[in-house]
Each structure stands twice: as C-alpha cells, then as structure tokens.
Amino acid sequence: MQEAVPAAEDEAVAEDGSGEGRGSGRRAPRKHRVLRWSALVLAVLIAGTAGSGYLYYRQLNANIEQQELNLGDTQVPEPTPNAAGQTPLNILLIGSDARDSKENQELGGARETFGSTPLADVQMLVHLSADRSNMSVVSMPRDTLVQIPKCTDPDDGTVYPASNGRVMTNRSLGHGGPGCTVATWQELTGIHIDHFLMVDFAGVVAMADAIGGVPVCVDANIHSRDSRGHGSGLKLEKGTHPVKGEQALQWLRTRYGFEDGSDLARAKAQHMYMNSMVRELRENATLSNPNKLRRLAEKATEALTVDPGLNSVKKLYDLSTELRKVEPKRITMTTMPNRYVGARVEPTEDAEQLFRMVREDIALDGGDAEKKAAPAQEDQGSDDPAAEDAEIAVLVQNGTRTDTLGSARGRAGDVADLLVEEGFARAVADPSTSLSEKTTVVRYPSADLEGDAEAVAEALGLEPGAVRRSTDVSGVTLVVGADWREGTTYRAPKQDNEVPESAEALNGADDGACMKVNPAFTW
C-alpha cells in the first residue's frame, strides 16, 4: 500500500478567488466557492419520492453512486435501544465542492480548481430520534479545526495518515472519500453514524427547478456583490420571495450581504431555507405531477453519492418515510458552537453539550419533557463476557492536555493505582505518552476485548459511550481526559439538557424567520 501525506493547508482566500483573507470578526472564505445544497437534499428526503418505485427504477438505481461508509479504524458503538426496542438514526449530509464536470464548473466558478481534490464544504448531521418524534440537525462550519483520523481508500489501498495536529474539517473528503468525513465526525463527537449522503453542485439547481421554488425572506433589499465583484450575485427586494434554480443556489452560497458576512450567517440562511423547503414540500401539490416527480427523482439520484446502506431508490424511499414522520415543529436546526482560533474556529464546551444530547437522543426542542417516563431498560452491554478484573490488562495514558493547559502531572499513574485498588491488578501507566482528549475514554482493538473494556469503564463510573473500538490500540487502553484532571473519583460534567444559546437553534415551524441584511450590501 502506498502512503499519502496530505498537502499543507491552503491559505484563506476570498470566495471569488481574489486572495482576500479574513478581517477582524469575519470568516475568510476559501478559494473554492461554497454551495450549501445539503438543505435541499434533506428536504427532498423528508418530502419523500412517493411513486418512484415505478419511475425508471433500474435507471434511477444505476444513477446512484456508492462508497464505503467509514474509512477509519475507530468504531463507535451503536446506541442502546429504548424500552420499545427502537434506536436513533444518524445521517451525515456532505456537500462536495468538486468541479469535475462542465455543468458544475459553470455553477461553481473557480475554473482553475477543475479536477482538484474536492472539499467537504458542507457537513450537517441529521439525527432522527429513536421514537421518530423529533429531528435534530447540527451543522459544522467548514473551517472547523479537527484531527482527521487515519483513513484507507478502499479502491486503491492508499493510506492517509492521521493529520499532524488539527486541520480544517473540509479536507477530510480528500482522504479517501466521504467515509473519512464520517470517521472524522465519529472521532470528534462520539456519535455513531448510520449513513451518509453526498451531493454536488449541478444537482441542486436541477432539483430546485423540479420542486418549483422555496420562499425566503430578507429584512432589506440585498445585492450580494461588492465593488470588487465579490459575492454570490443574489439580488432580492425586502420581504419574502420564492427562489429556485440558480437563484436558490445564490441564496445557499451567499456570505457577502448576510449579517456580518461570516460562514455562521450563511449557515443560518441555509437553515431558514431548509425549514422553508420542508414546509413547502409538505404542502405543495405540484409534486403530485408525475412528470415533475420523475424529473426530481432523476436529478436527485444523479446528484447523490451514498453508503451501501442507501444504494437503491427503495432504501432512499424507506429513509424518507422515516424522516417524514417528524412534523416541522419538532425539527431543530443548530450550528456547532465554536470560537475563533486565528482565522479558523474550534468546537467549544457548548459543542460537547450539543453532541452529548444527540448521543443520548435528547430532543433539542425540549419536547421530551412532555413525555411520560418510559420504564427503564437494563443495558444489555456487550455479548463478549469480561474476564476477571485481576486478569484484565489495562494501559493508562494521560490525555489531560488542552489547548490552554498542559498535562496534569501524574494522572496516568494516579488512575492506574486507582484501578489496581479496584481489583485490576494488571493496570499500568504509560509514562511516555502525553495526549489531548476532551473526555475520558476506554478503547479496545477487537470484539474479544469489548467486555473487558466495559468492565473498566463501569468500575470508574464512565458512561457506556466512553467505550470505543479502535485499531489504534493493541489492548484495553484508558485515556484519562481533560474532564478528569484531578481526584480519584470520576465526575461527569454537569448536564442540564438545555440547548446552548451559542447553537443558534431554529425551529422548523418558524415561518417568520428573516435574514438580516448587511447595510453595505443593500440598494
């Protein structure tokens, strides 16, 4: 196998390739223009493609490209079923900026990027609750700094080493395909991802035309174009207007002209568009027209790349049926809470709060509080029986280092001693390693050690989600994270199950949302 070393990160340049970087308080875009069509694909899925089973079924299936789901080594355990035996569904929506066709070039611009390695410039995690009563969507800014794990391209065996330090999350797509973006999300969030859907530029315009337009609102006249030609070109009068085709594309791309001109403002506009499209598709009778439905189905399947679990029209239709069970008022759109790190951003403590709520299947709209408490279900745990505590070998590593704090001295030794006192006589500290791990985690390399890893976690009071399979370790390995820098008793961070304000939650039924226009871009 050949080993690929990722190239150095591109410098930030303007959206139109001008080279203009970020100013104070503004996020500098990349030389690749961005399209946020994930909103459209989610909406199409929610609306469903009823009747598509008889519309060129084989042709539509042939249109759909498939790639492997997870190219990383780490396996995140599936969530425990609820009392009714139901489990949540997590789908990662990925938007590629690839310009590998004339049609995509014409829509995306930046002709010099033709044929270059694509970036995952749109990443949205869709979480469908176990009981199918609510849905949560978490967007990650494209310039979020993350550690991309080692990924292996299943087609040619190329191994992409784990990133040396943190790099922009959108680069993960170039490390073997969308399966590496999935692996990156799982590593960062601890959320098990069941499927991914990836779309390209050309498909969104064709699909927007097929469904007839989506109402959007601006609080003033807007023209997304400055004196140097930067901007999407979007031009609308104050108020609510239906947009479709290339104008819908402009809305989803617009950064210059919305609020402070940042990627976060653009994400907010995408959430408004997504919510509006969901409502429109549910109410718009034009989709009962067989010809329009056929065109929508054809364009949608041509634009999609999916994992093997979604590689047919039937599977996509079954997924849409599940998604349609959620009413708009139970859909919550959020952006991963973040803070600036130079010209980039990183997840904050609020982001971990959001990820935990998704992991634990807690509705972001607060609707779970209205449910009657379901009878507790005993956690079945692993099918692999644990060995006797005294026989379990445990390597303990110090992962307490953070971006602002050095490693807490002696933590690996202290916790190894604690495990010995608990009966794990073969627990030893690794003095040679200083890691950075936000939360304490137990990793194991193979199924025959899963029960042992769970026994270690239980002895320390860790939650089941802290146990993760990974081929990066050779045996049961406990990494003491930044959430346990002192003391001999693990105390999980305080949990209040409130969506952080910094996530900027938007409810799917909010039809009064309107984008604030930057005065410099009004007319």
Side-chain angles (χ1 to χ4, degrees):
M1 288 189 299
Q2 66 184 52
E3 184 171 280
V5 179
E9 183 178 351
D10 293 336
E11 294 295 322
V13 296
E15 186 168 31
D16 297 80
S18 66
E20 178 183 311
R22 285 184 197 209
S24 175
R26 291 175 62 112
R27 297 178 193 277
R30 309 293 168 269
K31 66 183 179 182
H32 301 285
R33 292 199 225 166
V34 178
L35 168 64
R36 308 289 189 173
W37 21 224
S38 296
L40 186 78
V41 174
L42 175 59
V44 169
L45 286 172
I46 292 172
T49 54
S52 62
Y54 66 87
L55 296 174
Y56 306 108
Y57 186 77
R58 291 184 180 178
Q59 174 189 331
L60 296 181
N61 282 344
N63 287 345
I64 302 169
E65 181 180 348
Q66 74 172 42
Q67 294 191 31
E68 290 301 313
L69 174 62
N70 182 4
L71 304 186
D73 293 334
T74 300
Q75 302 295 323
V76 175
E78 295 183 23
T80 302
N82 63 14
Q86 302 165 304
T87 54
L89 193 61
N90 295 308
I91 307 145
L92 187 63
L93 301 181
I94 304 170
S96 163
D97 76 340
R99 296 181 180 86
D100 51 3
S101 71
K102 181 180 179 181
E103 188 176 14
N104 276 330
Q105 275 191 297
E106 289 174 351
L107 293 171
R111 308 295 195 274
E112 71 278 4
T113 65
F114 180 79
S116 60
T117 301
L119 300 173
D121 272 340
V122 179
Q123 298 177 35
M124 294 182 178
L125 180 68
V126 179
H127 171 82
L128 183 61
S129 66
D131 64 4
R132 305 307 190 248
S133 68
N134 65 89
M135 185 190 303
S136 306
V137 179
V138 180
S139 296
M140 184 188 297
R142 61 179 176 170
D143 52 2
T144 301
L145 295 175
V146 298
Q147 285 217 262
I148 299 175
K150 182 183 80 172
C151 291
T152 303
D153 189 322
D155 293 331
D156 60 14
T158 299
V159 176
Y160 295 84
S163 60
N164 183 16
R166 298 187 304 173
V167 297
M168 291 203 317
T169 184
N170 64 354
R171 290 178 53 187
S172 60
L173 187 59
H175 290 218
C180 194
T181 306
V182 168
T184 301
W185 267 81
Q186 291 195 152
E187 284 278 342
L188 175 68
T189 67
I191 297 169
H192 175 81
I193 294 177
D194 301 283
H195 300 292
F196 75 78
L197 290 127
M198 183 171 73
V199 261
D200 66 9
F201 277 6
V204 71
V205 171
M207 286 190 288
D209 285 339
I211 63 175
V214 176
V216 295
C217 177
V218 287
D219 72 349
N221 295 349
I222 181 175
H223 187 201
S224 178
R225 188 74 73 199
D226 67 11
S227 59
R228 289 177 290 179
H230 301 150
S232 70
L234 177 71
K235 189 172 185 179
L236 291 174
E237 293 183 357
K238 177 181 178 180
T240 300
H241 310 275
V243 295
K244 62 180 181 178
E246 192 164 357
Q247 194 173 44
L249 175 66
Q250 290 173 335
W251 176 275
L252 295 167
R253 289 187 56 248
T254 294
R255 182 174 69 83
Y256 290 96
F258 285 154
E259 299 187 350
D260 63 353
S262 71
D263 277 345
L264 294 182
R266 175 157 45 192
K268 186 182 296 184
Q270 294 158 10
H271 292 164
M272 289 183 186
Y273 182 94
M274 183 185 294
N275 284 339
S276 181
M277 177 166 282
V278 169
R279 294 191 298 270
E280 190 72 11
L281 284 168
R282 282 178 175 271
E283 300 168 3
N284 192 341
T286 60
L287 281 181
S288 63
N289 181 307
N291 289 330
K292 289 189 176 182
L293 181 58
R294 183 180 65 249
R295 288 197 298 273
L296 176 59
E298 289 175 353
K299 296 303 181 181
T301 53
E302 288 170 358
L304 286 177
T305 299
V306 300
D307 67 276
L310 294 177
N311 65 354
S312 71
V313 171
K314 182 183 184 306
K315 292 176 181 178
L316 289 169
Y317 179 67
D318 289 345
L319 173 60
S320 74
T321 300
E322 291 294 286
L323 294 170
R324 287 189 70 191
K325 295 176 181 178
V326 183
E327 294 293 326
K329 65 182 180 180
R330 297 301 313 277
I331 299 173
T332 306
M333 310 287 179
T334 64
T335 298
M336 182 199 75
N338 61 85
R339 58 176 163 249
Y340 282 104
V341 180
R344 311 295 185 222
V345 299
E346 66 180 1
T348 63
E349 293 73 16
D350 282 352
E352 175 52 33
Q353 165 85 339
L354 197 62
F355 298 152
R356 179 188 62 78
M357 292 178 71
V358 173
R359 286 196 301 268
E360 297 179 7
D361 197 24
I362 298 170
L364 301 188
D365 65 355
D368 284 350
E370 301 171 4
K371 295 180 182 178
K372 293 181 180 179
Q377 180 186 36
E378 184 177 348
D379 185 1
Q380 299 300 316
S382 168
D383 292 332
D384 170 56
E388 294 295 323
D389 291 352
E391 298 175 3
I392 299 175
V394 185
L395 181 66
V396 184
Q397 297 178 329
N398 187 344
T400 58
R401 176 169 49 83
T402 72
D403 294 331
T404 57
L405 298 172
S407 296
R409 295 184 60 184
R411 288 307 290 157
D414 291 346
V415 178
D417 291 344
L418 174 61
L419 280 172
V420 171
E421 292 176 9
E422 292 288 330
F424 294 85
R426 298 181 62 191
V428 296
D430 178 1
S432 64
T433 305
S434 175
L435 305 173
S436 178
E437 197 80 44
K438 290 183 180 179
T439 59
T440 300
V441 64
V442 183
R443 295 192 171 98
Y444 64 96
S446 54
D448 60 313
L449 292 177
E450 183 176 4
D452 294 355
E454 289 177 346
V456 172
E458 183 178 359
L460 295 174
L462 305 180
E463 63 179 31
V467 179
R468 302 179 190 175
R469 183 171 177 174
S470 172
T471 54
D472 288 339
V473 298
S474 57
V476 177
T477 304
L478 168 68
V479 183
V480 184
D483 60 344
W484 196 11
R485 290 179 59 88
E486 59 185 11
T488 56
T489 301
Y490 177 77
R491 292 183 175 85
K494 225 173 182 182
Q495 301 174 353
D496 59 15
N497 292 344
E498 294 289 332
V499 178
E501 288 187 14
S502 54
E504 299 196 41
L506 179 66
N507 186 271
D510 184 357
D511 58 4
C514 204
M515 282 304 297
K516 183 178 180 182
V517 174
N518 186 316
F521 290 86
T522 193
W523 54 278

